[in-house]
């Protein structure tokens, strides 16, 4: 199994893309602006999208992608998330006002897009590639994902602030290889990090101290304009875990 980073920034501009990861050729985890870098042929191969939460930086490419490739496909794209997140997408995105409801087009018997409800702790097995929603603690209903190839596991925090349940999952995952965790703000914006339910470097260090096993750690969702400051603070506060900044194009092998 291979997971390629398409976007891992908290914003756009220049080379920056918002959150999305391509799993093999057919699955996305989130669908931020990075999805737009795929070719039409690559977009048409995507059968499943696992959504962490409904914030625009994580879902903005779903409407364009489905609209672009629907005529090239003979089966629907499946949008996986919790009932609460799917309801937000139905009410506020695919609501015929912001974008057409592709779960009803061309008709509800054979639509271009279908929703599939997940519950936290529940595993979706796609040909031996296992996706489990794990709790996140954000300002809207949100999850992270544990991806298990059978050989090793990749844990993505999603957007979250302090989250003991994430560490319970990490510590219970014997084959954990990679952890991707957000740090959206620098320390001087700690109050904004708390209010918007994200992390800053001091909070990241305190969270990582709950990890009881070794893993390669990558930091994601840094705010544009604060990348160097935030990474230098992380290098000071969380040095013992050797976290690296996630970058577009990086590939994880599971
Ligand atoms: Zn968010
Ligand atoms: Zn976000």
């Amino acid at each position: 199994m291979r997971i390629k980073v398409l976007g891992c920034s908290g914003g756009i501009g220049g080379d920056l893309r918002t959150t999305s990861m391509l799993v093999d050729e057919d699955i996305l985890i989130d669908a931020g602006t990075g999805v737009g870098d795929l070719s039409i042929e690559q977009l048409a191969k995507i059968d499943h999208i696992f959504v962490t939460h409904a914030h625009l930086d994580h879902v903005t490419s779903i409407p364009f992608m489905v609209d672009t490739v629907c005529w090239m496909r003979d089966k629907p794209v499946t949008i996986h998330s919790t009932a609460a997140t799917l309801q937000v997408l139905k009410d506020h995105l695919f609501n015929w006002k912001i974008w057409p409801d592709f779960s009803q087009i061309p008709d509800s018997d054979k639509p271009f897009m279908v929703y599939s409800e997940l519950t936290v702790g529940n595993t979706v097995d796609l040909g031996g590639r296992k996706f489990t929603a794990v709790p996140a603690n954000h300002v809207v209903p949100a999850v992270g994902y544990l991806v298990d190839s059978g050989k090793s596991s990749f844990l993505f925090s999603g957007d979250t602030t302090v989250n003991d349940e994430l560490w319970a999952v990490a510590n219970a995952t014997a084959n954990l290889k990679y952890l991707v965790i957000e740090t959206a703000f620098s320390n001087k914006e700690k109050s904004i990090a708390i209010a918007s339910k994200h992390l800053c470097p001091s909070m990241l260090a305190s969270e990582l101290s709950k990890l009881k096993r070794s893993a390669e750690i990558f930091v994601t969702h840094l705010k544009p304009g604060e990348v160097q400051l935030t990474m230098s603070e992380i290098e000071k506060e969380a040095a013992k875990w050797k976290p690296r900044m996630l970058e577009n194009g990086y590939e994880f092998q599971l």
Side-chain angles (χ1 to χ4, degrees):
M1 244 180 127
R2 183 189 64 128
I3 301 179
K4 183 177 181 185
V5 178
L6 304 178
C8 53
S9 175
I12 60 166
D15 294 336
L16 302 181
R17 305 285 186 272
T18 70
T19 304
S20 185
M21 288 175 265
L22 178 65
V23 183
D24 296 332
E25 290 191 311
D26 56 332
I27 302 168
L28 290 175
I29 300 173
D30 281 340
T33 64
V35 176
D37 291 335
L38 296 176
S39 69
I40 294 175
E41 290 71 26
Q42 287 175 306
L43 292 172
K45 289 180 182 164
I46 291 165
D47 293 326
H48 301 272
I49 306 177
F50 287 85
V51 175
T52 59
H53 66 300
H55 277 160
L56 267 187
D57 54 325
H58 300 253
V59 303
T60 194
S61 288
I62 302 176
F64 303 129
M65 188 196 109
V66 175
D67 193 18
T68 300
V69 301
C70 58
W71 58 276
M72 301 168 72
R73 294 175 51 82
D74 55 10
K75 57 184 170 181
V77 177
T78 303
I79 313 295
H80 302 264
S81 197
T82 60
T85 294
L86 294 180
Q87 196 60 50
V88 178
L89 296 177
K90 292 172 191 174
D91 290 345
H92 301 288
L93 185 52
F94 295 100
N95 60 2
W96 295 107
K97 298 185 178 81
I98 297 291
W99 205 250
D101 180 359
F102 277 92
S103 70
Q104 304 293 320
I105 300 173
D107 59 68
S108 55
D109 291 335
K110 206 172 179 298
F112 291 137
M113 186 183 94
V114 294
Y115 296 106
S116 180
E117 195 179 311
L118 284 169
T119 49
V120 166
N122 183 23
T123 298
V124 177
D125 188 333
L126 299 172
R129 302 169 297 175
K130 296 191 173 80
F131 294 78
T132 306
V134 304
N137 179 12
H138 198 36
V139 286
V140 292
V143 294
Y145 286 103
L146 179 69
V147 184
D148 187 350
S149 69
K151 223 159 73 180
S152 53
S153 286
F154 167 95
L155 181 58
F156 173 43
S157 71
D159 284 14
T160 192
T161 188
V162 174
N163 181 9
D164 286 350
E165 291 173 276
L166 176 72
W167 304 109
V169 172
N171 292 331
T173 304
N175 67 357
L176 184 67
K177 187 172 181 189
Y178 303 110
L179 169 67
V180 173
I181 183 164
E182 74 126 280
T183 304
F185 293 103
S186 66
N187 280 331
K188 69 179 160 54
E189 294 190 305
K190 183 172 184 178
S191 59
I192 300 172
I194 291 169
S196 60
K197 290 204 167 187
H198 283 288
L199 293 170
C200 67
S202 64
M203 296 165 80
L204 173 71
S206 136
E207 286 295 279
L208 287 174
S209 69
K210 300 170 189 171
L211 179 63
K212 305 291 181 231
R213 59 173 71 248
S214 64
E216 290 183 44
I217 296 173
F218 293 82
V219 180
T220 187
H221 212 296
L222 281 78
K223 183 181 170 183
E226 290 198 338
V227 170
Q228 284 178 341
L229 172 63
T230 306
M231 281 314 298
S232 70
E233 290 174 346
I234 288 172
E235 276 151 25
K236 267 183 234 141
E237 304 223 24
K240 71 186 226 198
W241 294 280
K242 301 187 178 69
R244 280 182 272 171
M245 188 176 84
L246 194 58
E247 292 181 72
N248 284 354
Y250 192 85
E251 283 195 20
F252 298 96
Q253 299 287 342
L254 294 187

